[in-house]
Amino acid sequence: MNYVTEKNNKVYVMGEIVSDATFSHEVYGEGFYEFFVRVMRLSGQADILPITLSERLIQDGMLAKGKQICAVGQFRSYNKLENGKSRLMLTVFVRELLDEPPDQNPNTILLSGYICKPPVYRTTPFNREIADVLVAVNRAYNKSDYIPCIAWGRNARFVKNLNVGDRIAISGRIQSREYQKKLSDTESRTMTAYEVSVSKLAAFDAGEDFDIDSEFDLYSLQGKVDALAISVDV
């Protein structure tokens, strides 16, 4: 992995596989599979997260339901056409598998990118402050990922004053959230949204002015190289 070019989008997850792996797509002859992993929160609740994994990282029996997986990767987005409409899809794209889980939070993400829509600030009926912000994160090969993030309290108050194009860095966790989508006056469907719940954030002007690795500690890979399996770079 190129730690310099990839440090603007880094994810660490550890959890239990809770679905069968299904074939997703193929890129230059390399197949990718999708499945879901239950990642526990410190509160005892769980997030059910979508995972994308290359066939080159898969070993016999490792993707069976109930198995534990520990991985480092990126939180990526792509557009999927459903009923004639484009829908933003999100997935944890695994770059490397760890044989031995480090002693840390099992769900951690670092992002560095640009605000690409005006932040939406609101308060709950219990006066809890919330701000939704969509962050564009650059990727290799002139691609970008569009990551929905949600900030709380003083972070929400800070975000609401930022503008489209402002550069920010975020640390937090990936969360899943169910909601009801109204299809008609009599029919609705339970859907799942994925977003980054922000714990820390900072705004800055230039990359050389902010080192996300030193400001926000995700998970140091130094000294852990012997615990890594083979990696994939797509």
Side-chain angles (χ1 to χ4, degrees):
M1 180 188 294
N2 186 326
Y3 297 105
V4 175
T5 60
E6 301 297 340
K7 69 179 182 179
N8 61 340
N9 186 341
K10 300 202 304 188
V11 174
Y12 166 73
V13 293
M14 180 180 67
E16 178 188 352
I17 298 173
V18 293
S19 74
D20 293 325
T22 59
F23 181 79
S24 171
H25 63 282
E26 184 177 293
V27 179
Y28 300 118
E30 181 178 4
F32 293 87
Y33 288 81
E34 293 181 334
F35 54 96
F36 288 88
V37 167
R38 180 189 292 115
V39 182
M40 299 305 299
R41 300 183 187 178
L42 298 179
S43 65
Q45 294 182 309
D47 294 293
I48 309 298
L49 304 182
I51 307 292
T52 300
L53 181 65
S54 168
E55 62 185 0
R56 299 178 184 177
L57 294 175
I58 299 174
Q59 300 177 8
D60 289 344
M62 69 175 293
L63 295 187
K65 289 183 182 179
K67 290 281 189 178
Q68 291 285 319
I69 187 171
C70 182
V72 176
Q74 297 178 315
F75 199 30
R76 293 188 177 182
S77 69
Y78 62 96
N79 290 313
K80 182 178 181 180
L81 196 63
E82 290 185 346
N83 300 321
K85 295 183 179 180
S86 180
R87 182 185 174 198
L88 183 70
M89 308 295 289
L90 295 156
T91 186
V92 176
F93 182 88
V94 174
R95 300 292 299 274
E96 298 171 273
L97 294 173
L98 303 180
D99 293 329
E100 298 179 7
D103 183 18
Q104 71 150 52
N105 190 323
N107 181 349
T108 314
I109 183 170
L110 293 182
L111 295 175
S112 174
Y114 300 86
I115 295 176
C116 55
K117 288 180 66 177
V120 177
Y121 173 85
R122 64 191 189 278
T123 57
T124 70
F126 299 100
N127 290 323
R128 190 176 189 189
E129 296 171 289
I130 303 174
D132 297 307
V133 57
L134 187 64
V135 179
V137 180
N138 292 334
R139 202 201 309 166
Y141 310 113
N142 295 318
K143 295 181 180 180
S144 295
D145 295 297
Y146 297 90
I147 310 299
C149 303
I150 183 167
W152 314 84
R154 61 188 180 89
N155 285 332
R157 293 195 298 273
F158 178 77
V159 165
K160 74 175 183 178
N161 296 315
L162 299 180
N163 301 307
V164 172
D166 285 349
R167 190 169 183 177
I168 63 172
I170 286 170
S171 72
R173 62 175 173 82
I174 303 171
Q175 69 178 19
S176 62
R177 173 175 54 84
E178 289 189 346
Y179 66 97
Q180 296 295 317
K181 181 177 181 179
K182 189 174 182 180
L183 303 178
S184 67
D185 291 338
T186 59
E187 186 181 4
S188 62
R189 178 189 300 169
T190 300
M191 307 287 287
T192 302
Y194 304 101
E195 59 204 359
V196 173
S197 180
V198 176
S199 59
K200 296 180 182 178
L201 64 86
F204 59 102
D205 294 326
E208 59 269 19
D209 298 330
F210 190 90
D211 185 351
I212 192 170
D213 284 327
S214 61
E215 295 288 343
F216 298 153
D217 181 29
L218 171 80
Y219 162 54
S220 175
L221 293 176
Q222 299 301 318
K224 301 278 187 178
V225 176
D226 56 346
L228 296 177
I230 59 174
S231 64
V232 59
D233 189 4
V234 174

